[in-house]
Amino acid sequence: MNDESPDRYVSFVGINCDEKADRLMAMLKARMEETDSRWVGYFTKKLEEKRRMGNDNLYFVGSQVNSLSAFFEEIEDEAAEALLWDLEQNCC
């Protein structure tokens, strides 16, 4: 990637994608602490990979939309589902 490559977030100006992704990640971490769902192990592994690769929260959310949706649906977290839907529709 050269220095003249466009910023991949330029089209997201004004819709707070990074802030929404940060908020969803906080929700994910909180829910992981509250449940013994099979998804906890999965996300523990994926979050470690995220850290190791240096990916940001928006990239992680975009890469894990289906898994996040299944987890939030399983634990009946409607607020997280709504935020994830918004992110998917507007930011990913």
Side-chain angles (χ1 to χ4, degrees):
M1 194 160 149
N2 64 42
D3 291 336
E4 296 178 20
S5 297
D7 182 346
R8 70 183 174 114
Y9 296 119
V10 74
S11 64
F12 301 150
V13 172
I15 56 175
N16 302 319
C17 291
D18 289 323
E19 179 184 310
K20 290 177 182 179
D22 292 347
R23 198 169 51 213
L24 187 74
M25 293 300 289
M27 295 168 92
L28 173 62
K29 289 177 183 178
R31 299 314 174 263
M32 287 173 63
E33 293 175 3
E34 301 169 356
T35 184
D36 61 353
S37 169
R38 65 188 173 93
W39 288 105
V40 173
Y42 174 84
F43 285 120
T44 299
K45 177 182 172 187
K46 291 300 181 181
L47 289 167
E48 176 54 30
E49 290 174 9
K50 172 190 172 299
R51 185 199 62 75
R52 202 170 53 248
M53 299 288 287
N55 295 327
D56 62 24
N57 287 339
L58 185 57
Y59 181 88
F60 181 84
V61 170
S63 299
Q64 297 293 323
V65 168
N66 292 332
S67 300
L68 288 164
S69 180
F71 175 61
F72 291 133
E73 183 177 329
E74 176 184 301
I75 62 170
E76 301 178 348
D77 187 332
E78 292 178 9
E81 288 181 88
L83 181 55
L84 177 61
W85 186 88
D86 181 55
L87 277 159
E88 182 180 15
Q89 297 303 307
N90 297 306
C91 300
C92 294

